[in-house]
Structure formats: structure tokens, C-alpha cells
Amino acid sequence: MAPVAAPEMLNPGVEDVVADRNRHQGVPPPQDQTMVINMGPQHPSTHGVLRLVLEIDGESVVSLAPDIGYLHTGIEKTCEAKFYQQVVPLTDRIDYLCPMTNNLAYCLAVEKLLGLEIPERAQYLRVLLNELTRIQSHLVWLGTHAMDIGALTVFLYCFREREDILRIFESVSGQRMMSSYFRIGGVSLEPPLDFYKEVQNFLNIMPDRIKQYENLLTGNPIWMGRLKGIGHLSAADAIALGVTGPPLRASGVDWDLRRDMPYSGYEKFKFRVPVSNDCDVWARYVVRMQEMYESVKICQQALDGMPEGRIVADAPKIILPDREQMKTQMEALIHHFKIVTEGFGVPAGEVFQAVESPRGEMGYYVVSDGTAKPYRVHMRNPSYATLQALETMCKGRLLADVVAVIGSIDIVLGEIDR
């Protein structure tokens, strides 16, 4: 006789997720006329690790509960077993679409504890590479978001330009994505001779390429119909739910850390912060498109104003010495050996450093106990906070609108499931 499946095995976990959400939010249990279903993965960046439990009434969303936790990497705990400099490659993996932004946030936090003064040239290089990172992240968002809606051509266009940026990253760091180029105290290597020419060639063509994307989408009636008036998120709700970045600015809140709490020399650059009061999926599309234009302007300013000088701070007991010095000077060789084998001590204390990532406010909380390894490293990731606004944006909308809303908040599960 064939074994009979237990009732709870037929739809594993759905009832648990809904019951937990209802108890937490004080929501009445699903009614007889509604249906509870699993949804996902329906977006490339979720690749099976974001599960939505939806209660629907026909085609309308009654309630929505994100079920996360399928991608836990334990990166925060791993940081505690590494020397401070060894943590940098781990930060690449938090958000694989903006690894250099994570590098920067972590390095700035540790540099605060160390009291390091970063050379101006290193700051300009950091700004330049972070804005290129912002552009390539937005290109992935636009291509995948458009593909979710049904516009496949835009995906191919966006990845054409993204390849140009990844080649630039590879030329400067040796890696296309997980670059680990930033260092505590500066950057790892002087860029190659043709680096600035490659960047300039990209900046020359990028504004026209953004216009191509807009020509494909902005006036398209299907695109407008799927985006306008969908996924409304008021400014008050956005603030209350901890939403930051483009979704916050698309809800009418004029806030950008690069301008309002500048870091790494951003106060020396002139740029506009795009804001929209439409508060819908369309507004998030428009804000990010305008941000790409502004990032091109910042990159151009960084190229034009690139100063001469050192690319690392003057701190022999923290920064690895020049390779030539290491081979010819005993003191440099000793410093190199000590730093590599024992790390460097960081004064006891705690610090929080936030930067403006392509998805919002990326914050690193670092605690030092005075040793060569961090006592605690915690990341405040924008996608985690933005995900909790998903139900607010989807409730009362059609099931098909959930796909558009998820694409509009541009989440990356790598930073949600740390």
C-alpha cells in the first residue's frame, strides 16, 4: 500500500508563514473566499531564494508575506575570524551588483577607527569607480526589470554597456565583478595607463545610450500601462518602513547621503539628486534613469579633476609597502611580513559608516576590541528594509502587478540573506 502524504506535506510551510505574519501584524486569518499561494522566483535576482506567500481574492492581492532565509552565507560571522584587510573580499559578496560600494563603506568605517587621512587621489578614484558601479547596477536593474514586464530587447542593450564597465573594472583590478580593489587606507594599485582613456570613451557614448533606452520604453504605451499608478508608496510610509535610495526619492523625499552626509570627497562634486512625487513604479523608473545621467557627470568631473599624488595613506604599519621597497629595504620587508602574518591592530571602539549604494543607504557597523580582527561587523542593507514595504505597495493590486513592483525596488537577495 502506497504511503499517504500528511496534509501538512501537501503545501509545506504556506500556512506557517501566513499564521506567523497574521500573529505579528494582528491580521485576521484568510477567509474562505481567498486562496493562499506560493509565488516566485519571477525575477533574475531572486533565483529561487525569495519566496512570496500571497493571499489572493481572484486576481487581487489581499495580503503578502515575504519568506526569506534561503541564501544565508554567514558573512557577518566570518568577518570576526579574519584580519581587517581580509574582510574586504567578503564585502564584495554582500551585494554582487555593487561590490565596490560595499568595499568603500567598510573601508571608511575602519579608517574612522584608525584615524587615517586618505590621499585626495585615492578619494577621486573611489568616487569614479563607485559611480561606474552605480551605472552598471542600474543597467542590470533596467534590463531585468524590462524583461520582467516583457521588453526583452532592453535587456540586450543594457548588458552591452554593462560589459564596457566590467572591462574597465577588470583592467584596474583583474576581476570583472568581485574586484576587491579598495583597501583600508586607499586603493590597491595605480590604474593602468589606458584606464582613463577607456573610462572617457565610455562616458562619451553613455548619455546617448541612456537615451536609446528611454526611446524604447518611456513612450511605450504597454510600458506606461504596466508602471504608472502601480505600487504606490507614500513618503510617510516610505520613511516609516525604512526605505532609502531611489524608492525613497521616488516617493518625494529629497535625501541622498552623497550630498547630505558627504564622504570620500563627494562634497567637491556638483550633481543633481533626482526626485519624483508620483510614488509609483513609474517614478522609480524615472528616478533611476536620471541617476545614470548624473553619475556620468560625476565620473566626468572625477576624470577632469583627478589629482596627482599617492593612492594610499602614509601609514607604514597599516599599509603594505611598495613592492620595490620591500625587496630593497629591511624595514619595509619587516612591515610587510608583520602586516601579512599578524594583521594590524585597530584602536578599541565602535563606528557606523553609511554610503549611498544603488539600492539605498548601505551602512557598516564595526566594533573593535583593539586586536587585529574585528569583534563585530554588521551590515545595514537597503534591500532588507525595502522588502518590508512590498506588501504596502502590492495590497489591492493585481497579481501581475507584484512582478512589476518587485522589479521596481531592485532588491538583491545577497544583501538580504547575509
Side-chain angles (χ1 to χ4, degrees):
M1 180 177 178
V4 179
E8 62 268 18
M9 296 294 289
L10 298 177
N11 208 356
V14 174
E15 295 84 355
D16 295 335
V17 173
V18 174
D20 287 345
R21 173 196 164 277
N22 291 342
R23 284 195 297 269
H24 179 66
Q25 299 187 7
V27 178
Q31 303 301 309
D32 291 340
Q33 67 268 23
T34 64
M35 181 185 299
V36 177
I37 64 170
N38 276 308
M39 181 178 180
Q42 74 296 317
H43 184 277
S45 74
T46 66
H47 49 72
V49 291
L50 174 63
R51 172 192 183 211
L52 299 181
V53 180
L54 292 164
E55 182 190 354
I56 58 173
D57 183 359
E59 285 289 313
S60 299
V61 176
V62 177
S63 66
L64 179 153
D67 186 23
I68 61 176
Y70 300 101
L71 191 67
H72 280 321
T73 57
I75 284 180
E76 290 183 348
K77 189 64 179 177
T78 305
C79 293
E80 300 172 15
K82 302 291 184 181
F83 294 142
Y84 278 92
Q85 190 59 66
Q86 292 176 326
V87 174
V88 172
L90 297 177
T91 65
D92 283 325
R93 276 79 181 169
I94 293 293
D95 183 345
Y96 39 76
L97 294 183
C98 62
M100 290 203 192
T101 307
N102 283 271
N103 292 171
L104 179 60
Y106 171 72
C107 288
L108 287 174
V110 179
E111 287 161 2
K112 273 186 178 180
L113 289 171
L114 290 167
L116 287 181
E117 183 177 346
I118 309 305
E120 190 176 25
R121 180 174 176 80
Q123 291 188 5
Y124 269 65
L125 282 170
R126 287 177 169 186
V127 169
L128 173 61
L129 291 167
N130 263 280
E131 292 308 314
L132 288 175
T133 298
R134 189 181 313 278
I135 295 172
Q136 74 90 16
S137 178
H138 282 353
L139 288 175
V140 176
W141 155 78
L142 179 61
T144 54
H145 185 34
M147 189 166 60
D148 291 344
I149 305 300
L152 178 60
T153 304
V154 184
F155 178 87
L156 303 176
Y157 279 43
C158 291
F159 270 63
R160 176 187 60 189
E161 276 67 68
R162 181 175 183 253
E163 278 299 307
D164 292 338
I165 299 178
L166 293 183
R167 290 191 194 100
I168 292 172
F169 290 167
E170 187 174 16
S171 72
V172 75
S173 70
Q175 295 290 334
R176 285 162 54 85
M177 291 182 64
M178 309 306 173
S179 57
S180 301
Y181 179 63
F182 294 169
R183 294 289 185 272
I184 296 169
V187 296
S188 62
L189 296 167
E190 184 69 43
L193 294 176
D194 59 348
F195 168 75
Y196 300 104
K197 181 180 179 181
E198 290 181 9
V199 174
Q200 187 61 67
N201 290 339
F202 172 77
L203 297 180
N204 290 341
I205 66 169
M206 192 58 195
D208 287 337
R209 298 297 169 84
I210 301 174
K211 290 177 183 176
Q212 286 184 8
Y213 313 149
E214 291 177 325
N215 290 338
L216 285 168
L217 294 176
T218 303
N220 187 312
I222 299 176
W223 181 256
M224 290 189 291
R226 290 298 306 274
L227 269 62
K228 287 193 172 183
I230 306 300
H232 186 271
L233 181 67
S234 67
D237 286 340
I239 293 172
L241 292 168
V243 175
T244 56
L248 178 66
R249 293 188 284 274
S251 292
V253 181
D254 188 4
W255 178 257
D256 190 308
L257 292 177
R258 295 173 295 171
R259 180 198 63 195
D260 301 318
M261 298 177 66
Y263 52 90
S264 195
Y266 266 106
E267 66 276 5
K268 302 171 186 174
F269 295 85
K270 295 182 180 179
F271 60 95
R272 182 177 64 88
V273 177
V275 179
S276 173
N277 292 313
D278 291 338
C279 307
D280 56 4
V281 175
W282 176 263
R284 290 165 218 138
Y285 160 72
V286 171
V287 164
R288 288 194 182 92
M289 297 299 287
Q290 292 302 313
E291 281 191 3
M292 285 197 281
Y293 283 115
E294 297 303 314
S295 290
V296 170
K297 295 177 184 176
I298 295 173
C299 289
Q300 189 64 60
Q301 293 175 57
L303 271 187
D304 295 341
M306 185 67 65
E308 297 295 329
R310 296 171 57 91
I311 59 171
V312 291
D314 184 13
K317 294 184 179 181
I318 298 172
I319 309 298
L320 288 175
D322 179 80
R323 297 291 294 181
E324 190 61 34
Q325 290 181 341
M326 185 195 70
K327 295 175 182 178
T328 57
Q329 299 177 17
M330 178 56 70
E331 187 179 43
L333 178 60
I334 293 172
H335 282 316
H336 186 280
F337 180 79
K338 297 281 282 184
I339 293 172
V340 170
T341 59
E342 300 177 4
F344 51 82
V346 174
E350 58 183 351
V351 67
F352 179 80
Q353 173 66 49
V355 300
E356 188 71 33
S357 90
R359 268 155 287 288
E361 183 176 314
M362 170 75 68
Y364 273 68
Y365 173 66
V366 179
V367 181
S368 171
D369 57 1
T371 65
K373 297 178 181 178
Y375 178 78
R376 181 77 170 96
V377 177
H378 173 66
M379 298 87 171
R380 187 278 181 197
N381 304 113
S383 292
Y384 188 84
T386 306
L387 186 62
Q388 68 180 346
L390 192 59
E391 184 180 40
T392 302
M393 292 186 279
C394 293
K395 187 178 289 188
R397 302 301 314 179
L398 296 178
L399 185 61
D401 294 334
V402 177
V403 178
V405 174
I406 290 179
S408 76
I409 62 177
D410 189 23
I411 56 172
V412 170
L413 267 293
E415 64 175 19
I416 291 176
D417 285 348
R418 297 180 301 283

